[in-house]
Amino acid sequence: IVDGSLKGRQDGAARAAESKPIRMRGIRIQPTAATAPSTAPGCPRTNSIVALDVKFDLNSAVLTAEAYRTLRQMAEAMRRRELVSCHFAIEGHTDATGQAAYNDVLSKKRADSVKQFLLSMDVKGSRLVTVGKGSREPLNAANPAAGENRRVQFRIVGAATN
């Protein structure tokens, strides 16, 4: 499904199609339990998670060389017709090693760093909102201090209305 349209499909087939990830050169859009098909061309599914590997060093909001490579791919994908109408929440996360208030600020700074880079790659700011989630949603809940919890992820939050 590229345009989010499920017209003409039976309910079971539609549900199966909605649960499959969409892949674009290095980017995977993974539906969540709350995912809803979009009615806008150029935006497949709202509330889907865009799976990327944008990690950060401890106590840092500075993008790494690997993060720059990944975000260049994301910027390119965001300009493609499959995503051009999507609006995104850039969600910053931390590990659980710091105080909650500090982690909230740091996670927002991480999301803001990513947004600034995407703006420099000609992604429209009106399509992006940043959110700091602190350490509340770890990828590795078994080890809240693990490095993989220091990350940003993208969520499709809607589509442009014309």
Side-chain angles (χ1 to χ4, degrees):
I1 300 170
V2 172
D3 66 0
S5 174
L6 299 174
K7 294 176 184 162
R9 294 189 181 196
Q10 296 178 4
D11 287 343
R15 278 192 298 279
E18 288 173 2
S19 66
K20 292 181 182 176
I22 295 173
R23 297 178 193 274
M24 283 183 264
R25 198 159 63 187
I27 308 296
R28 187 180 84 228
I29 301 173
Q30 182 65 48
T32 65
T35 296
S38 173
T39 57
C43 189
R45 302 174 186 136
T46 58
N47 209 36
S48 293
I49 299 292
V50 181
L52 308 171
D53 193 24
V54 180
K55 303 289 192 283
F56 291 85
D57 292 331
L58 184 64
N59 288 327
S60 177
V62 176
L63 296 173
T64 64
E66 185 178 332
Y68 281 117
R69 284 189 295 275
T70 301
L71 291 170
R72 279 187 197 97
Q73 287 180 324
M74 182 63 186
E76 182 181 319
M78 292 172 84
R79 291 189 302 262
R80 291 186 54 186
R81 67 177 172 78
E82 294 91 348
L83 297 178
V84 74
S85 295
C86 292
H87 289 218
F88 297 87
I90 304 169
E91 300 173 342
H93 299 269
T94 65
D95 62 27
T97 59
Q99 297 291 321
Y102 175 79
N103 285 343
D104 287 343
V105 171
L106 179 58
S107 63
K108 177 74 161 86
K109 286 180 179 179
R110 288 175 174 169
D112 290 340
S113 291
V114 168
K115 180 178 179 179
Q116 287 306 310
F117 177 75
L118 292 173
L119 293 174
S120 77
M121 298 294 295
D122 297 324
V123 175
K124 292 182 181 178
S126 61
R127 297 175 58 201
L128 307 171
V129 63
T130 58
V131 180
K133 298 234 174 183
S135 61
R136 292 181 293 280
E137 297 177 11
L139 269 183
N140 183 348
N143 183 2
E148 64 253 39
N149 294 322
R150 299 188 298 263
R151 71 196 192 281
V152 294
Q153 68 184 26
F154 291 73
R155 183 179 305 271
I156 297 173
V157 294
T161 54
N162 295 332

